Amino acid sequence: MRSGAGLDPCACDPAASRGRRHPEAAAPTRTAFQRDRDRVIHSTAFRRLVYKTQVFLNHEGDLFRTRLTHSLEVAQLGRSIARSLRLNEDLVEAIALAHDLGHTPFGHAGQDALHECMQRCSDQGTSLDGWGFEHNLQSLRVVDELEERYPAFDGLNLSFETREGILKHCSRRNAERLEAQEPGGVAHRFLHGGSPSLEAQLCNLADEIAYNAHDIDDGVRSGLITLEQLEQVPLFDDYRRRALASHPRLTGRRLLFESIRLMLSDQVYDVIDATQRALAQAGVSSVEDVRRSRPLVTFSADMRQRSQALKTFLLRNLYRHPQVMETTGRAKQVVGDLFQAYLSDPAQLPEAHASREHLPRAVADYIAGMTDRFAIREHERLSGATLFP
Ligand code: MG
C-alpha cells in the first residue's frame, strides 16, 4: 500500500487541472471534476444512452444492458477501484459516464457502417472535417462541440483531464488534425507517446471488467450462450466452482449471478494489487511522471491472460453468434441507407444539420446521435422498408 493520507501523489487534483477550453469561474461548492460529471449527466447525449444498444438491441428485451446501464456499471467499478487506489473518484466517474456518449445506434454494427460511409467521403475529399468515424473521437465531439446548452460556447466545456480520458483511442490522421487545433492537447499522446492519467487508464480497465461480466449475464439471459458452454472458460469456471463449493445446491440464475459476482470482486482486487505493484516499481510520484510512463493501471499477467480468453470466448460465441450477426447486418443496412438518404436529400435533415458547412460530417453527427428506435423509425419513413418489425 502506498502510504499517506488523502489522494495518491499521482492522482489528478482538480485544483491543479489544466483547465477548460473556455475559461470559467470555479464553482462555489464543487470541484472541476464534480462539475464535469454533473454536466455529463444533464446532457442530452447522456439521456439518449438509455435507448442505445450495448450488444442486444434495445427492443429485444427490457433486462438487457443498454449503453446507459453499461456506463453506470463502469462508473461503479471505476469508483470502487479509485477509492482503494486513492485516485480521484469524481474524475473517474465523469470519464466513465461520458465514455460512450459518441456511440451510434446499434452498437458496433452502427459504428462500423458509419465509419465505412465516412471513410468513403473522406477519401473522395467530400468530407474535409476529419477522417472516417471513430466512436471515441465522437464522444469527444459530443462534449466539445455537439451539445448545445450554454450561452457562450458549444459543447459542455469539460476539463482537460476529463476530455483526455474520453479520447481513449484516436487514429493518427485525426490526432494530427486535433493537435493542429489544440497543440499539446488531448491528441498529443497519440502522436508523441505517453499515457493518460491513472483515472483515464482505470476507466479503460473498468470498461473491460464491466462488459465481460454483463455480457455473460445478458448472453445467458438471451439463451445464445449456456452455463454449460461457460464451463470451458477457465476464468468463469473457477468462480462457478467456488460458488458451488460454498453453496452446493446452487443452480441456474443464482449460480450464474454468484459466479459473476465472485469474478467481478476478484478482478477488482487483482487490478488494485497489480496497479499498486506497478506504481511502486515505476517509481512515479506525480501526474507528469504517469504521463511519461507506460500504462500502470493493469491486471496481473495471469488475470490479463484469463480475461483475454473470456473475451475470445464471448467474441466467438456471443458477438458472432448467427442471431446477433443477422441483427447486425440489418442494423448496418439501416445506418448505410440513412446516410445515403440524407446525403442525397439534405432537406430530410433538421435545419440545423442541413445548413452545416460539411454535409457528410453533419449527417454522421445526426445519425450517431440517434437512438436505436429513432433510427428504425427514420429508416422506415425515408425508405418505406421495415427492417425491424
Ligand atoms: Mg464502454
Side-chain angles (χ1 to χ4, degrees), residues 67 70 99-100 207:
R67 288 268 165 218
H70 162 71
H99 87 283
D100 274 351
D207 191 19

Side-chain angles (χ1 to χ4, degrees), residues 180-198:
Q181 289 165 3
E182 184 188 350
V186 289
H188 189 263
R189 68 192 170 93
F190 299 103
L191 300 170
H192 305 285
S195 298
S197 70
L198 294 177

Side-chain angles (χ1 to χ4, degrees), residues 54 67 70-71 74 99-100 103 168 207 211:
Q54 182 67 26
R67 288 268 165 218
H70 162 71
S71 301
V74 176
H99 87 283
D100 274 351
H103 260 290
K168 182 165 77 173
D207 191 19
Y211 66 66

Side-chain angles (χ1 to χ4, degrees), residues 91-199:
L91 177 57
V92 168
E93 191 178 18
I95 297 169
L97 294 179
H99 87 283
D100 274 351
L101 289 180
H103 260 290
T104 62
F106 312 121
H108 283 277
Q111 177 205 280
D112 293 349
L114 203 48
H115 181 60
E116 283 165 27
C117 295
M118 282 307 287
Q119 229 176 350
R120 239 174 284 133
C121 291
S122 304
D123 293 342
Q124 289 162 359
T126 48
S127 172
L128 307 171
D129 186 21
W131 175 81
F133 179 90
E134 299 171 12
H135 74 264
N136 292 121
L137 182 55
Q138 190 69 11
S139 297
L140 187 69
R141 282 175 62 70
V142 168
V143 302
D144 278 358
E145 294 172 46
L146 299 177
E147 280 286 322
E148 297 176 323
R149 308 193 74 80
Y150 297 94
F153 46 77
D154 287 335
L156 304 177
N157 198 30
L158 303 182
S159 310
F160 174 85
E161 293 75 10
T162 305
R163 298 175 56 241
E164 170 192 52
I166 291 172
L167 193 62
K168 182 165 77 173
H169 298 294
C170 188
S171 66
R172 189 162 184 95
R173 289 201 228 190
N174 282 323
E176 282 165 356
R177 191 177 50 81
L178 285 178
E179 180 67 9
Q181 289 165 3
E182 184 188 350
V186 289
H188 189 263
R189 68 192 170 93
F190 299 103
L191 300 170
H192 305 285
S195 298
S197 70
L198 294 177
E199 285 83 355

Side-chain angles (χ1 to χ4, degrees), residues 112-319:
D112 293 349
L114 203 48
H115 181 60
E116 283 165 27
C117 295
M118 282 307 287
Q119 229 176 350
R120 239 174 284 133
C121 291
S122 304
D123 293 342
Q124 289 162 359
T126 48
S127 172
L128 307 171
D129 186 21
W131 175 81
F133 179 90
E134 299 171 12
H135 74 264
N136 292 121
L137 182 55
Q138 190 69 11
S139 297
L140 187 69
R141 282 175 62 70
V142 168
V143 302
D144 278 358
E145 294 172 46
L146 299 177
E147 280 286 322
E148 297 176 323
R149 308 193 74 80
Y150 297 94
F153 46 77
D154 287 335
L156 304 177
N157 198 30
L158 303 182
S159 310
F160 174 85
E161 293 75 10
T162 305
R163 298 175 56 241
E164 170 192 52
I166 291 172
L167 193 62
K168 182 165 77 173
H169 298 294
C170 188
S171 66
R172 189 162 184 95
R173 289 201 228 190
N174 282 323
E176 282 165 356
R177 191 177 50 81
L178 285 178
E179 180 67 9
Q181 289 165 3
E182 184 188 350
V186 289
H188 189 263
R189 68 192 170 93
F190 299 103
L191 300 170
H192 305 285
S195 298
S197 70
L198 294 177
E199 285 83 355
Q201 296 179 37
L202 173 52
C203 283
N204 280 345
L205 211 47
D207 191 19
E208 179 179 335
I209 295 172
Y211 66 66
N212 275 341
H214 65 51
D215 289 351
I216 291 179
D217 183 6
D218 284 355
V220 173
R221 184 186 306 283
S222 68
L224 300 187
I225 54 176
T226 62
L227 257 175
E228 291 68 42
Q229 267 181 300
L230 282 162
E231 289 173 20
Q232 309 155 17
V233 183
L235 179 65
F236 181 84
D237 198 48
D238 198 12
Y239 300 108
R240 188 189 62 88
R241 285 166 194 269
R242 281 195 227 178
L244 282 173
S246 336
H247 309 278
R249 282 188 299 190
L250 212 52
T251 56
R253 193 160 282 177
R254 282 187 201 242
L255 175 58
L256 175 70
F257 293 157
E258 182 63 5
S259 312
I260 292 175
R261 191 183 71 77
L262 293 172
M263 184 177 87
L264 275 175
S265 311
D266 223 28
Q267 291 197 310
V268 164
Y269 303 142
D270 183 86
V271 171
I272 293 168
D273 289 346
T275 301
Q276 279 171 342
R277 280 198 304 273
L279 288 170
Q281 269 169 15
V284 287
S285 57
S286 69
V287 179
E288 290 69 40
D289 286 350
V290 168
R291 289 210 165 95
R292 280 189 295 266
S293 170
R294 68 187 164 84
L296 295 168
V297 179
T298 178
F299 278 135
S300 65
D302 176 54
M303 186 63 86
R304 163 56 51 219
Q305 187 247 322
R306 294 198 299 155
S307 175
Q308 192 53 50
L310 171 59
K311 283 165 81 162
T312 306
F313 170 85
L314 288 171
L315 178 69
R316 289 196 186 132
N317 297 284
L318 182 61
Y319 312 142

